[in-house]
Amino acid sequence: MNSDLDKTRLPVHIGIIMDGNGRWAKQRNKPRSFGHAEGIEVTKKIVKSASDLGIKFLTLYVFSTENWKRTTEEVSFLMTLIHNHLKQELEFYRQNRIRIKLLGDITGLSKTIQQDILDSEKMTDSFEGLTVCLAINYGGKDAILRSVKKIIENKEEASSVSDELISKYMDIPELPDADLIIRTGGEKRLSNFLMWQSAYSEFIFSDTLWPDYTKEELIQNIIDFQNRTRRFGAVLK
């Protein structure tokens, strides 16, 4: 399968909606927390795979603005997982020259998680390999609203408002539009993910639950992406 992958035409930016942890655990008569813990191990493997392939940007939907509606116990467990991952895996990011960036409203997170993120961003900022964008307390609509508010706060002229200006005020101004968005878990919806950056994304919906997702499936998803014709609204001759 790897021989079918054209490394000269890799997607620059891949977004992944990592869905299915809870259902994976339920199938094994385990609590949802068991699925989330397994899911974060898979996340590390996929990050390493994307880095090895030469992907430039990988955005992972870690915790949405809507996920606060879950039980207090589950939210607390997820935040502990995020904290532990950022603390324990920093050496992994260093060894692989992977840069960490936050996508989301950091003010809505605990002071501990805020500091974890700021420390991780600072310690990896000079790395020039894969950039992993962790979407935490993130919603696509909220990201656009916050960008517009910053434009107003900075008293930008109405005549200067453009795609480029809105992007400038996003959480990660240099983040390009997503070429490929993958959603695992069998659901076929965007769920408020990368609303601004997905205007011409290619979508792949996988029935695989996130803890079962593998490097091999990631490669196959990229091959499927490469086999599509992207027109961006034009008619190709």
Side-chain angles (χ1 to χ4, degrees):
M1 179 176 64
N2 287 17
S3 61
D4 296 328
L5 181 69
D6 183 350
K7 289 196 173 181
T8 69
R9 296 192 300 114
L10 293 171
V12 174
H13 178 195
I14 298 176
I16 304 182
I17 302 172
M18 307 176 293
D19 197 13
N21 291 335
R23 282 171 285 157
W24 184 88
K26 185 177 180 181
Q27 288 176 359
R28 290 156 178 79
N29 296 313
K30 300 284 188 179
R32 290 177 61 85
S33 58
F34 181 76
H36 291 311
E38 187 65 25
I40 206 162
E41 292 302 313
V42 171
T43 299
K44 181 179 174 182
K45 294 175 184 176
I46 296 303
V47 167
K48 179 65 164 64
S49 299
S51 176
D52 291 344
L53 287 169
I55 303 300
K56 295 300 183 184
F57 293 89
L58 177 66
T59 298
L60 301 172
Y61 210 1
V62 178
F63 191 90
S64 76
T65 49
E66 289 74 38
N67 286 157
W68 295 106
K69 299 173 186 176
R70 298 185 180 186
T71 66
T72 302
E73 292 77 14
E74 184 171 359
V75 169
S76 178
F77 183 80
L78 287 168
M79 290 300 160
T80 299
L81 275 182
I82 293 168
H83 167 71
N84 290 342
H85 179 78
L86 291 172
K87 285 293 186 184
Q88 297 170 6
E89 300 299 341
L90 193 54
E91 186 58 31
F92 162 77
Y93 289 106
R94 281 175 174 158
Q95 289 177 356
N96 292 281
R97 311 296 291 175
I98 294 170
R99 185 171 64 142
I100 299 173
K101 299 290 287 183
L102 173 71
L103 196 65
D105 184 2
I106 195 171
T107 64
L109 299 169
S110 71
K111 296 297 183 183
T112 299
I113 298 292
Q114 286 187 39
Q115 195 60 53
D116 291 337
I117 291 167
L118 293 172
D119 289 345
S120 298
E121 288 185 327
K122 181 179 180 180
M123 292 179 187
T124 64
D125 187 57
S126 63
F127 298 160
E128 297 179 352
L130 170 69
T131 295
V132 173
C133 306
L134 299 175
I136 306 174
N137 194 29
Y138 171 83
K141 288 185 176 181
D142 179 68
I144 296 169
L145 285 172
R146 287 187 291 108
S147 175
V148 171
K149 288 177 181 178
K150 291 174 188 175
I151 289 172
I152 294 170
E153 289 168 0
N154 282 275
K155 297 181 170 58
E156 299 281 4
E157 293 291 337
S159 59
S160 70
V161 176
S162 62
D163 285 3
E164 291 75 16
L165 185 67
I166 293 174
S167 295
K168 174 184 173 182
Y169 284 98
M170 287 286 182
D171 295 325
I172 308 175
E174 70 271 27
L175 184 65
D177 287 350
D179 299 297
L180 171 63
I181 293 179
I182 301 165
R183 180 171 188 149
T184 63
E187 303 291 354
K188 295 178 174 63
R189 56 178 176 268
L190 198 53
S191 294
N192 202 16
F193 182 59
L194 294 180
M195 302 294 286
W196 180 257
Q197 296 90 351
S198 63
Y200 278 100
S201 300
E202 296 294 326
F203 292 86
I204 290 178
F205 298 103
S206 168
D207 289 332
T208 303
L209 301 178
W210 180 247
D212 291 328
Y213 192 76
T214 62
K215 174 183 178 179
E216 289 71 28
E217 185 165 357
L218 173 65
I219 291 173
Q220 185 57 56
N221 290 161
I222 294 172
I223 291 170
D224 291 345
F225 163 82
Q226 291 178 339
N227 288 331
R228 298 183 184 183
T229 301
R230 306 183 75 196
R231 298 181 178 85
F232 298 98
V235 177
L236 300 183
K237 297 180 180 179

